[in-house]
Amino acid sequence: MHPHDPQFIAQAAKVLSDPIRLQIIRLLREGKPVGNRTPVCSRNARAVCPEDLKQGLGDISSSKLSYHLKELKEEGFIREIREGKRIYYFLVPERFDQLVESIRKLYRTTT
């Protein structure tokens, strides 16, 4: 699917329309919480582990968090880093830029 295809934009918008996913994005943008006891990712100090996300989201089950992370990852908004048994997540700013640019190009009016 081409980035400027309305279906491409609609799918991205659908993934971003969930309030929990938007909270996850906010937490990932803020990065690893200061003073948190979970190990820091050696390849990306701002990457956040699911335990940190669960703490920031409050009352959310591991399976529900996993589902939302999968949706964001499949759409390219986040990536994961695996270190041993731990998984860390971080934002992909270029994907957000691509979405904004796609919307601009598809819906820009010429005058």
Side-chain angles (χ1 to χ4, degrees):
M1 196 174 331
H2 191 273
H4 305 309
D5 181 328
Q7 189 64 29
F8 179 84
I9 295 169
Q11 179 60 34
K14 179 181 174 186
V15 169
L16 294 176
S17 70
D18 189 283
I20 293 173
R21 291 187 203 129
L22 293 176
Q23 287 180 297
I24 291 169
I25 289 168
R26 178 186 52 82
L27 292 168
L28 292 175
R29 184 189 46 139
E30 291 170 359
K32 179 150 183 66
V34 176
N36 199 294
R37 294 178 186 244
T38 56
V40 175
C41 179
S42 66
R43 294 187 294 180
N44 183 340
R46 292 189 50 76
V48 179
C49 67
E51 292 86 7
D52 293 336
L53 291 172
K54 282 181 73 170
Q55 185 178 0
L57 292 169
D59 187 29
I60 187 169
S61 68
S62 294
S63 60
K64 190 171 188 176
L65 175 60
S66 179
Y67 169 76
H68 288 296
L69 290 169
K70 178 181 82 66
E71 292 290 308
L72 288 167
K73 192 171 85 170
E74 286 179 354
E75 196 57 36
F77 290 110
I78 66 173
R79 288 196 186 124
E80 69 179 31
I81 297 173
R82 293 181 178 263
E83 289 188 348
K85 293 183 179 184
R86 289 206 171 270
I87 300 174
Y88 298 89
Y89 295 93
F90 62 96
L91 290 179
V92 180
E94 301 82 20
R95 178 62 180 96
F96 292 91
D97 295 342
Q98 179 188 42
L99 176 59
V100 169
E101 186 58 26
S102 294
I103 292 168
R104 244 188 227 125
K105 285 188 177 187
L106 187 62
Y107 298 104
R108 182 181 295 152
T109 58
T110 55
T111 55

